[in-house]
Amino acid sequence: MSTQTSASGKVTNFLHKLFGTTPGLGLQPKEAIAYSITGFGQNLICTIIGSYLTIFMTDALGYNLDVNLGKISGVLAVAFLMLAVRLFDAFNDPIMGSVVDYTRTKWGKCRPYLKWMAIPIGVITILCFLPVYPRNVGGFVAISLVYVVWSVAYTVADVPYWALSSAMESDTDKRGKMLTVARLACTGASGLVTILVPFITKAVTKKYMSADGLILAEHAAQVRQTLSWTYFIVAAVLVILAMPMFFYGFKHTKERNQTTEKPVPLKENIKLLFSNKPLMLIVLSGVLGAARMVYMYTGGLYFCKYALKDESLYGLVTMLVVPGGVVASVLVPWFTKKFSKKWTFIISHLVGAVAMLIMYLVGWQSTAGLVVAIIAMIILGIPQGFSNIMTYALIADSIDYLEWKTGKRAEGICFAMQTLINKIGMAVGAFIGVVAFTMAKISSDDPIGSMTDEGLKKLWDMLVLSGVVSMFACTIPMFFYHFTEDRQRQAVTEVVARKVNNDPNFIAEYAGDIDLLAPYLNEGILEQATEIRNAHLASEALKETENVVVVGDDNVDNE
């Protein structure tokens, strides 16, 4: 009994230390873990669509250079589809954010969407990869419509999922640690799909390849059919794995920062959005940085499949950013505490831009060029790792700024800006990748007969140079960002004091230092709030003791 209780206590203490949480007060480790599990499942689906729907359409369904859809080639039609749908999806996010802010349920305003949208997203994801769309205008229109519906359904879950982090915890350090773990989980899911899918597709088409790894033109029809069914099966398996994770996150998270005020109309929500200066700077940075990771999207897969003649290398190439990304992600709390979020973001992206510029100048055709490219990719993982976590943390901080300034949090529409940034990045990344593939004039049905050195150079130039420019550009707005960590803490303290003045019972869930609130509390409120806090802590300690006793009794019974 004592050994089990001791081991359980050590695990609990470790988790509290990991997330910076306090037993019985505010965010608890089981909630942070559930939030991360949902992120893992969400990214299984996001990655199969974001990274592979494009190549499914060009290489499996055959909307390529050899097929005309109206007046343009199939591959160019796919490029414009990806750009249009993802931009449409991105600008739907503020609307969905406003819907979230309107939502009032017994579960909160963010959590319900994890429950409501899990199954619809899963079903529509499978429909996107149906291997039955004909290779003509009608088939292209059909899959395009399904993709539009998927983008709307995914937005309905994606916006509230990221807004949930702000509703769960207002302390920037705790929230940052939770988001660090969640983003690592999301990256793990993306990496898993990114690595496995090209290995699978290469394995099932290998018998149709030439000695140097390119598809033989005489087997083009068999390859398209094989790839169509392979992508369909993979998508179905990922959906089955991901759906329970949505429900788990719904069940095991809690919204603490809820508002009882009347919902704000969309027009007023938009005004709130533009009054949030820190958020506007983050959004501008994200838009300017939309092409900084273009090599991670479909263009990178095309480059590996045709220039390097081995699509399975795509997973390995994208994994090159993992060492730097993981180290950066783990060290986010230390770097942001030491240098602030602002300067960690700026410096890391300037370093990444220089690394990518050197990679471009050296080229990839020689052994030395490939070595430089590998080193540069590892370095590029550093700004990516920092950005993956800090952007979410910065937006969460901006919500605290908005509440301090206006009295309204508007988590939904504010975090809609994060998903807007992500989707603009996906739109630009996919568009540049497919346009580069089009400029290279490579036919997926006959790569041997269509590939040229000039075409491959165009592919390389588009993928790398766009990243260089974007990496430099995204740092510019951040020089004007001034809502520092100290200012955020001060803002939260003032907001909490306002709430405690209105209702002293609010202090029960507040995990900060009550003494910091004293200058802002009305006469007599500090003593009342202290009594309520002490009573709450005593109650939680009693519950913990009772749980230990129950565990002990169970062990005795088992013995």
Side-chain angles (χ1 to χ4, degrees):
M1 178 181 69
S2 60
T3 302
Q4 181 177 342
T5 303
S6 176
S8 175
K10 288 180 179 179
V11 172
T12 300
N13 290 336
F14 168 77
L15 292 174
H16 278 297
K17 186 175 181 180
L18 175 66
F19 293 108
T21 51
T22 303
L25 287 176
L27 178 72
Q28 296 300 298
K30 67 178 182 180
E31 300 171 57
I33 292 170
Y35 184 77
S36 299
I37 288 173
T38 302
F40 186 92
Q42 184 193 47
N43 273 262
L44 291 178
I45 290 176
C46 180
T47 306
I48 191 63
I49 291 285
S51 294
Y52 295 105
L53 182 62
T54 303
I55 200 165
F56 170 74
M57 293 182 71
T58 60
D59 289 20
L61 296 181
Y63 301 123
N64 55 25
L65 278 176
D66 302 318
V67 171
N68 286 325
L69 300 174
K71 295 184 178 181
I72 61 175
S73 67
V75 67
L76 199 55
V78 171
F80 283 111
L81 171 69
M82 292 298 148
L83 181 65
V85 173
R86 291 176 181 180
L87 288 178
F88 162 78
D89 188 19
F91 288 100
N92 273 340
D93 287 355
I95 298 174
M96 185 59 214
S98 191
V99 171
V100 171
D101 290 329
Y102 255 89
T103 303
R104 299 288 186 274
T105 75
K106 63 182 179 180
W107 304 302
K109 63 182 182 180
C110 300
R111 290 174 59 225
Y113 293 97
L114 303 183
K115 178 182 180 181
W116 295 336
M117 296 309 300
I119 292 176
I121 288 172
V123 171
I124 303 169
T125 299
I126 293 174
L127 292 178
C128 282
F129 287 96
L130 282 179
V132 297
Y133 298 103
R135 200 182 181 194
N136 54 35
V137 173
F140 184 82
V141 170
I143 191 173
S144 299
L145 292 175
V146 173
Y147 182 38
V148 170
V149 174
W150 180 91
S151 72
V152 173
Y154 188 80
T155 293
V156 175
D158 191 40
V159 171
Y161 171 73
W162 292 111
L164 178 58
S165 65
S166 180
M168 290 170 67
E169 179 56 61
S170 60
D171 184 280
T172 186
D173 294 327
K174 295 176 185 177
R175 188 167 57 206
K177 290 176 180 178
M178 179 180 74
L179 285 168
T180 295
V181 175
R183 288 303 302 171
L184 285 172
C186 294
T187 301
S190 298
L192 182 67
V193 176
T194 301
I195 291 172
L196 290 181
V197 172
F199 273 102
I200 294 170
T201 53
K202 179 185 177 182
V204 298
T205 57
K206 191 172 183 178
K207 61 183 177 181
Y208 304 117
M209 294 179 181
S210 64
D212 58 358
L214 294 172
I215 296 297
L216 295 168
E218 59 265 29
H219 297 304
Q222 296 99 309
V223 169
R224 288 197 302 273
Q225 184 178 32
T226 301
L227 285 176
S228 295
W229 282 101
T230 300
Y231 279 113
F232 173 72
I233 293 169
V234 169
V237 170
L238 292 175
V239 164
I240 292 170
L241 291 174
M243 290 305 93
M245 299 182 191
F246 280 75
F247 291 109
Y248 188 85
F250 162 75
K251 184 176 180 181
H252 295 284
T253 54
K254 179 180 179 180
E255 294 187 33
R256 289 177 179 79
N257 300 321
Q258 296 191 43
T259 179
T260 57
E261 297 177 355
K262 184 180 178 181
V264 178
L266 176 60
K267 184 177 180 180
E268 187 175 341
N269 244 348
I270 297 295
K271 289 181 180 178
L272 286 173
L273 194 64
F274 283 97
S275 69
N276 192 339
K277 182 180 177 181
L279 179 60
M280 291 296 96
L281 290 170
I282 296 164
V283 171
L284 181 58
S285 173
V287 171
L288 292 175
R292 60 188 160 175
M293 289 169 52
V294 68
Y295 58 88
M296 297 288 288
Y297 296 113
T298 309
L301 180 54
Y302 285 133
F303 187 83
C304 290
K305 184 172 183 177
Y306 297 106
L308 302 181
K309 301 177 182 178
D310 188 348
E311 64 189 295
S312 65
L313 289 177
Y314 175 61
L316 298 178
V317 167
T318 56
M319 287 301 290
L320 287 174
V321 303
V322 170
V326 169
V327 170
S329 297
V330 171
L331 293 178
V332 161
W334 186 87
F335 270 93
T336 55
K337 186 175 182 179
K338 185 77 173 177
F339 304 106
S340 80
K341 299 183 187 76
K342 168 183 175 175
W343 287 108
T344 301
F345 182 95
I346 291 173
I347 294 171
S348 64
H349 280 77
L350 290 177
V351 170
V354 171
M356 189 176 280
L357 179 60
I358 293 171
M359 180 173 75
Y360 170 75
L361 294 174
V362 175
W364 61 275
Q365 296 90 339
S366 65
T367 302
L370 289 175
V371 171
V372 170
I374 289 171
I375 295 172
M377 291 288 284
I378 294 172
I379 294 173
L380 284 170
I382 296 173
Q384 183 177 329
F386 282 135
S387 179
N388 277 348
I389 294 166
M390 286 194 305
T391 306
Y392 291 89
L394 286 166
I395 290 178
D397 288 351
S398 79
I399 293 171
D400 297 326
Y401 169 86
L402 186 65
E403 185 176 22
W404 169 74
K405 183 178 180 181
T406 68
K408 302 181 186 299
R409 290 185 62 81
E411 292 100 333
I413 199 165
C414 288
F415 262 103
M417 295 299 98
Q418 175 61 69
T419 55
L420 180 144
I421 291 169
N422 291 346
K423 289 169 185 176
I424 288 178
M426 292 172 66
V428 172
F431 182 72
I432 290 176
V434 183
V435 167
F437 184 57
T438 305
M439 291 171 61
K441 297 182 179 179
I442 299 171
S443 167
S444 58
D445 282 351
D446 184 19
I448 296 175
S450 59
M451 281 172 50
T452 64
D453 290 340
E454 182 184 359
L456 292 177
K457 186 177 185 304
K458 288 180 180 178
L459 184 60
W460 170 263
D461 289 350
M462 282 286 288
L463 295 179
V464 183
L465 271 182
S466 58
V468 173
V469 173
S470 189
M471 193 75 80
F472 275 118
C474 73
T475 66
I476 297 172
M478 296 308 294
F479 283 98
F480 302 93
Y481 183 92
H482 302 304
F483 191 57
T484 62
E485 284 79 357
D486 288 340
R487 290 189 180 184
Q488 186 272 344
R489 292 187 188 94
Q490 181 66 28
V492 168
T493 298
E494 292 183 29
V495 168
V496 170
R498 293 174 200 164
K499 293 179 179 179
V500 174
N501 281 328
N502 291 330
D503 179 11
N505 288 308
F506 181 82
I507 202 68
E509 285 288 347
Y510 178 60
D513 187 349
I514 294 182
D515 292 336
L516 295 176
L517 304 178
Y520 309 100
L521 295 179
N522 297 334
E523 185 177 354
I525 295 293
L526 178 61
E527 292 76 11
Q528 188 179 351
T530 302
E531 290 176 6
I532 293 171
R533 163 72 78 83
N534 291 338
H536 176 75
L537 287 174
S539 174
E540 291 296 323
L542 181 60
K543 290 178 184 178
E544 188 69 25
T545 303
E546 290 172 349
N547 288 337
V548 171
V549 171
V550 170
V551 171
D553 290 342
D554 289 344
N555 287 338
V556 171
D557 292 340
N558 291 336
E559 291 172 0

mmCIF file of all heavy atoms in Angstrom, residues 400-424:
data_model
loop_
_atom_site.group_PDB
_atom_site.id
_atom_site.type_symbol
_atom_site.label_atom_id
_atom_site.label_comp_id
_atom_site.label_asym_id
_atom_site.label_seq_id
_atom_site.Cartn_x
_atom_site.Cartn_y
_atom_site.Cartn_z
ATOM 1 N N ASP A 400 -5.672 38.470 -22.270
ATOM 2 C CA ASP A 400 -5.593 39.141 -20.966
ATOM 3 C C ASP A 400 -5.490 40.652 -21.143
ATOM 4 O O ASP A 400 -6.070 41.420 -20.369
ATOM 5 C CB ASP A 400 -4.382 38.622 -20.182
ATOM 6 C CG ASP A 400 -4.497 37.140 -19.868
ATOM 7 O OD1 ASP A 400 -5.626 36.671 -19.653
ATOM 8 O OD2 ASP A 400 -3.452 36.451 -19.849
ATOM 9 N N TYR A 401 -4.761 41.097 -22.175
ATOM 10 C CA TYR A 401 -4.667 42.529 -22.483
ATOM 11 C C TYR A 401 -6.047 43.088 -22.819
ATOM 12 O O TYR A 401 -6.440 44.164 -22.334
ATOM 13 C CB TYR A 401 -3.717 42.742 -23.665
ATOM 14 C CG TYR A 401 -3.744 44.134 -24.253
ATOM 15 C CD1 TYR A 401 -2.956 45.150 -23.721
ATOM 16 C CD2 TYR A 401 -4.570 44.429 -25.337
ATOM 17 C CE1 TYR A 401 -2.983 46.439 -24.260
ATOM 18 C CE2 TYR A 401 -4.607 45.702 -25.879
ATOM 19 C CZ TYR A 401 -3.808 46.703 -25.343
ATOM 20 O OH TYR A 401 -3.853 47.966 -25.870
ATOM 21 N N LEU A 402 -6.787 42.336 -23.639
ATOM 22 C CA LEU A 402 -8.107 42.797 -24.057
ATOM 23 C C LEU A 402 -9.059 42.886 -22.869
ATOM 24 O O LEU A 402 -9.817 43.857 -22.746
ATOM 25 C CB LEU A 402 -8.669 41.847 -25.118
ATOM 26 C CG LEU A 402 -9.984 42.267 -25.765
ATOM 27 C CD1 LEU A 402 -9.805 43.551 -26.560
ATOM 28 C CD2 LEU A 402 -10.506 41.152 -26.677
ATOM 29 N N GLU A 403 -9.023 41.894 -21.992
ATOM 30 C CA GLU A 403 -9.892 41.926 -20.817
ATOM 31 C C GLU A 403 -9.522 43.088 -19.904
ATOM 32 O O GLU A 403 -10.389 43.758 -19.334
ATOM 33 C CB GLU A 403 -9.805 40.607 -20.048
ATOM 34 C CG GLU A 403 -10.778 40.529 -18.879
ATOM 35 C CD GLU A 403 -10.748 39.197 -18.179
ATOM 36 O OE1 GLU A 403 -9.740 38.480 -18.286
ATOM 37 O OE2 GLU A 403 -11.751 38.865 -17.492
ATOM 38 N N TRP A 404 -8.239 43.333 -19.748
ATOM 39 C CA TRP A 404 -7.777 44.455 -18.918
ATOM 40 C C TRP A 404 -8.228 45.793 -19.516
ATOM 41 O O TRP A 404 -8.657 46.696 -18.802
ATOM 42 C CB TRP A 404 -6.253 44.406 -18.822
ATOM 43 C CG TRP A 404 -5.621 45.623 -18.227
ATOM 44 C CD1 TRP A 404 -5.617 45.984 -16.891
ATOM 45 C CD2 TRP A 404 -4.906 46.647 -18.929
ATOM 46 N NE1 TRP A 404 -4.938 47.173 -16.722
ATOM 47 C CE2 TRP A 404 -4.494 47.604 -17.955
ATOM 48 C CE3 TRP A 404 -4.568 46.852 -20.259
ATOM 49 C CZ2 TRP A 404 -3.767 48.744 -18.305
ATOM 50 C CZ3 TRP A 404 -3.844 47.983 -20.595
ATOM 51 C CH2 TRP A 404 -3.451 48.919 -19.630
ATOM 52 N N LYS A 405 -8.174 45.881 -20.846
ATOM 53 C CA LYS A 405 -8.498 47.142 -21.519
ATOM 54 C C LYS A 405 -9.997 47.375 -21.644
ATOM 55 O O LYS A 405 -10.476 48.515 -21.497
ATOM 56 C CB LYS A 405 -7.868 47.144 -22.917
ATOM 57 C CG LYS A 405 -8.082 48.446 -23.693
ATOM 58 C CD LYS A 405 -7.382 48.393 -25.045
ATOM 59 C CE LYS A 405 -7.604 49.695 -25.822
ATOM 60 N NZ LYS A 405 -6.940 49.662 -27.149
ATOM 61 N N THR A 406 -10.773 46.303 -21.927
ATOM 62 C CA THR A 406 -12.196 46.473 -22.256
ATOM 63 C C THR A 406 -13.145 45.763 -21.298
ATOM 64 O O THR A 406 -14.356 46.001 -21.354
ATOM 65 C CB THR A 406 -12.480 45.940 -23.674
ATOM 66 O OG1 THR A 406 -12.328 44.508 -23.687
ATOM 67 C CG2 THR A 406 -11.540 46.566 -24.690
ATOM 68 N N GLY A 407 -12.619 44.830 -20.487
ATOM 69 C CA GLY A 407 -13.482 44.034 -19.623
ATOM 70 C C GLY A 407 -14.056 42.812 -20.318
ATOM 71 O O GLY A 407 -14.824 42.056 -19.734
ATOM 72 N N LYS A 408 -13.688 42.596 -21.585
ATOM 73 C CA LYS A 408 -14.184 41.458 -22.358
ATOM 74 C C LYS A 408 -13.002 40.605 -22.822
ATOM 75 O O LYS A 408 -11.977 41.144 -23.245
ATOM 76 C CB LYS A 408 -14.993 41.932 -23.565
ATOM 77 C CG LYS A 408 -16.193 42.806 -23.168
ATOM 78 C CD LYS A 408 -16.978 43.238 -24.379
ATOM 79 C CE LYS A 408 -18.082 44.228 -23.990
ATOM 80 N NZ LYS A 408 -19.053 43.643 -23.053
ATOM 81 N N ARG A 409 -13.183 39.268 -22.754
ATOM 82 C CA ARG A 409 -12.074 38.374 -23.121
ATOM 83 C C ARG A 409 -12.101 37.988 -24.608
ATOM 84 O O ARG A 409 -11.080 37.997 -25.271
ATOM 85 C CB ARG A 409 -12.119 37.098 -22.268
ATOM 86 C CG ARG A 409 -11.766 37.370 -20.809
ATOM 87 C CD ARG A 409 -11.691 36.069 -20.021
ATOM 88 N NE ARG A 409 -10.650 35.171 -20.504
ATOM 89 C CZ ARG A 409 -9.361 35.283 -20.197
ATOM 90 N NH1 ARG A 409 -8.959 36.273 -19.418
ATOM 91 N NH2 ARG A 409 -8.490 34.418 -20.661
ATOM 92 N N ALA A 410 -13.258 37.612 -25.110
ATOM 93 C CA ALA A 410 -13.389 37.262 -26.540
ATOM 94 C C ALA A 410 -12.354 36.231 -26.974
ATOM 95 O O ALA A 410 -11.671 36.396 -27.990
ATOM 96 C CB ALA A 410 -13.287 38.524 -27.407
ATOM 97 N N GLU A 411 -12.235 35.126 -26.182
ATOM 98 C CA GLU A 411 -11.253 34.093 -26.528
ATOM 99 C C GLU A 411 -11.467 33.523 -27.925
ATOM 100 O O GLU A 411 -10.521 33.257 -28.665
ATOM 101 C CB GLU A 411 -11.319 32.916 -25.526
ATOM 102 C CG GLU A 411 -10.869 33.237 -24.131
ATOM 103 C CD GLU A 411 -12.052 33.470 -23.220
ATOM 104 O OE1 GLU A 411 -13.115 33.887 -23.733
ATOM 105 O OE2 GLU A 411 -11.916 33.235 -22.006
ATOM 106 N N GLY A 412 -12.762 33.341 -28.253
ATOM 107 C CA GLY A 412 -13.060 32.696 -29.528
ATOM 108 C C GLY A 412 -12.489 33.435 -30.719
ATOM 109 O O GLY A 412 -11.726 32.885 -31.515
ATOM 110 N N ILE A 413 -12.832 34.708 -30.837
ATOM 111 C CA ILE A 413 -12.393 35.450 -32.019
ATOM 112 C C ILE A 413 -10.895 35.747 -31.967
ATOM 113 O O ILE A 413 -10.230 35.839 -33.003
ATOM 114 C CB ILE A 413 -13.217 36.737 -32.203
ATOM 115 C CG1 ILE A 413 -13.071 37.239 -33.642
ATOM 116 C CG2 ILE A 413 -12.835 37.800 -31.176
ATOM 117 C CD1 ILE A 413 -14.085 38.276 -34.038
ATOM 118 N N CYS A 414 -10.344 35.884 -30.746
ATOM 119 C CA CYS A 414 -8.896 36.122 -30.641
ATOM 120 C C CYS A 414 -8.112 34.890 -31.081
ATOM 121 O O CYS A 414 -7.149 34.988 -31.863
ATOM 122 C CB CYS A 414 -8.524 36.525 -29.218
ATOM 123 S SG CYS A 414 -9.046 38.194 -28.765
ATOM 124 N N PHE A 415 -8.491 33.707 -30.588
ATOM 125 C CA PHE A 415 -7.773 32.505 -30.993
ATOM 126 C C PHE A 415 -8.107 32.093 -32.425
ATOM 127 O O PHE A 415 -7.388 31.307 -33.031
ATOM 128 C CB PHE A 415 -8.026 31.355 -30.016
ATOM 129 C CG PHE A 415 -6.925 31.214 -29.007
ATOM 130 C CD1 PHE A 415 -7.084 31.651 -27.718
ATOM 131 C CD2 PHE A 415 -5.709 30.656 -29.372
ATOM 132 C CE1 PHE A 415 -6.050 31.545 -26.786
ATOM 133 C CE2 PHE A 415 -4.676 30.541 -28.468
ATOM 134 C CZ PHE A 415 -4.842 30.990 -27.162
ATOM 135 N N ALA A 416 -9.210 32.638 -32.957
ATOM 136 C CA ALA A 416 -9.475 32.430 -34.377
ATOM 137 C C ALA A 416 -8.351 33.012 -35.227
ATOM 138 O O ALA A 416 -8.080 32.553 -36.337
ATOM 139 C CB ALA A 416 -10.806 33.059 -34.763
ATOM 140 N N MET A 417 -7.660 34.019 -34.696
ATOM 141 C CA MET A 417 -6.539 34.599 -35.420
ATOM 142 C C MET A 417 -5.366 33.619 -35.523
ATOM 143 O O MET A 417 -4.626 33.629 -36.500
ATOM 144 C CB MET A 417 -6.073 35.890 -34.730
ATOM 145 C CG MET A 417 -7.089 37.021 -34.743
ATOM 146 S SD MET A 417 -7.541 37.557 -36.430
ATOM 147 C CE MET A 417 -9.074 36.651 -36.660
ATOM 148 N N GLN A 418 -5.202 32.759 -34.506
ATOM 149 C CA GLN A 418 -4.147 31.749 -34.588
ATOM 150 C C GLN A 418 -4.452 30.740 -35.680
ATOM 151 O O GLN A 418 -3.593 30.395 -36.492
ATOM 152 C CB GLN A 418 -3.999 31.026 -33.245
ATOM 153 C CG GLN A 418 -3.004 29.867 -33.287
ATOM 154 C CD GLN A 418 -1.606 30.314 -33.648
ATOM 155 O OE1 GLN A 418 -0.946 30.990 -32.874
ATOM 156 N NE2 GLN A 418 -1.128 29.948 -34.824
ATOM 157 N N THR A 419 -5.681 30.266 -35.707
ATOM 158 C CA THR A 419 -6.038 29.307 -36.754
ATOM 159 C C THR A 419 -6.027 29.991 -38.118
ATOM 160 O O THR A 419 -5.707 29.354 -39.124
ATOM 161 C CB THR A 419 -7.410 28.670 -36.459
ATOM 162 O OG1 THR A 419 -8.395 29.701 -36.286
ATOM 163 C CG2 THR A 419 -7.358 27.834 -35.187
ATOM 164 N N LEU A 420 -6.385 31.284 -38.159
ATOM 165 C CA LEU A 420 -6.284 32.026 -39.420
ATOM 166 C C LEU A 420 -4.839 32.059 -39.905
ATOM 167 O O LEU A 420 -4.561 31.819 -41.089
ATOM 168 C CB LEU A 420 -6.826 33.447 -39.230
ATOM 169 C CG LEU A 420 -6.793 34.369 -40.458
ATOM 170 C CD1 LEU A 420 -8.027 35.273 -40.478
ATOM 171 C CD2 LEU A 420 -5.542 35.247 -40.482
ATOM 172 N N ILE A 421 -3.899 32.339 -38.990
ATOM 173 C CA ILE A 421 -2.475 32.352 -39.348
ATOM 174 C C ILE A 421 -2.051 30.991 -39.880
ATOM 175 O O ILE A 421 -1.378 30.883 -40.914
ATOM 176 C CB ILE A 421 -1.615 32.737 -38.126
ATOM 177 C CG1 ILE A 421 -1.839 34.195 -37.744
ATOM 178 C CG2 ILE A 421 -0.132 32.510 -38.410
ATOM 179 C CD1 ILE A 421 -1.234 34.576 -36.403
ATOM 180 N N ASN A 422 -2.443 29.929 -39.159
ATOM 181 C CA ASN A 422 -2.067 28.571 -39.577
ATOM 182 C C ASN A 422 -2.588 28.257 -40.972
ATOM 183 O O ASN A 422 -1.878 27.679 -41.805
ATOM 184 C CB ASN A 422 -2.625 27.546 -38.581
ATOM 185 C CG ASN A 422 -1.938 27.605 -37.234
ATOM 186 O OD1 ASN A 422 -0.885 28.225 -37.093
ATOM 187 N ND2 ASN A 422 -2.537 26.979 -36.236
ATOM 188 N N LYS A 423 -3.838 28.631 -41.226
ATOM 189 C CA LYS A 423 -4.460 28.262 -42.499
ATOM 190 C C LYS A 423 -3.939 29.104 -43.653
ATOM 191 O O LYS A 423 -3.843 28.611 -44.786
ATOM 192 C CB LYS A 423 -5.979 28.359 -42.365
ATOM 193 C CG LYS A 423 -6.531 27.249 -41.478
ATOM 194 C CD LYS A 423 -7.977 27.461 -41.100
ATOM 195 C CE LYS A 423 -8.429 26.387 -40.132
ATOM 196 N NZ LYS A 423 -9.813 26.616 -39.658
ATOM 197 N N ILE A 424 -3.610 30.360 -43.374
ATOM 198 C CA ILE A 424 -2.964 31.163 -44.418
ATOM 199 C C ILE A 424 -1.607 30.548 -44.751
ATOM 200 O O ILE A 424 -1.214 30.469 -45.921
ATOM 201 C CB ILE A 424 -2.812 32.627 -43.970
ATOM 202 C CG1 ILE A 424 -4.184 33.319 -43.961
ATOM 203 C CG2 ILE A 424 -1.857 33.385 -44.892
ATOM 204 C CD1 ILE A 424 -4.160 34.746 -43.486
#
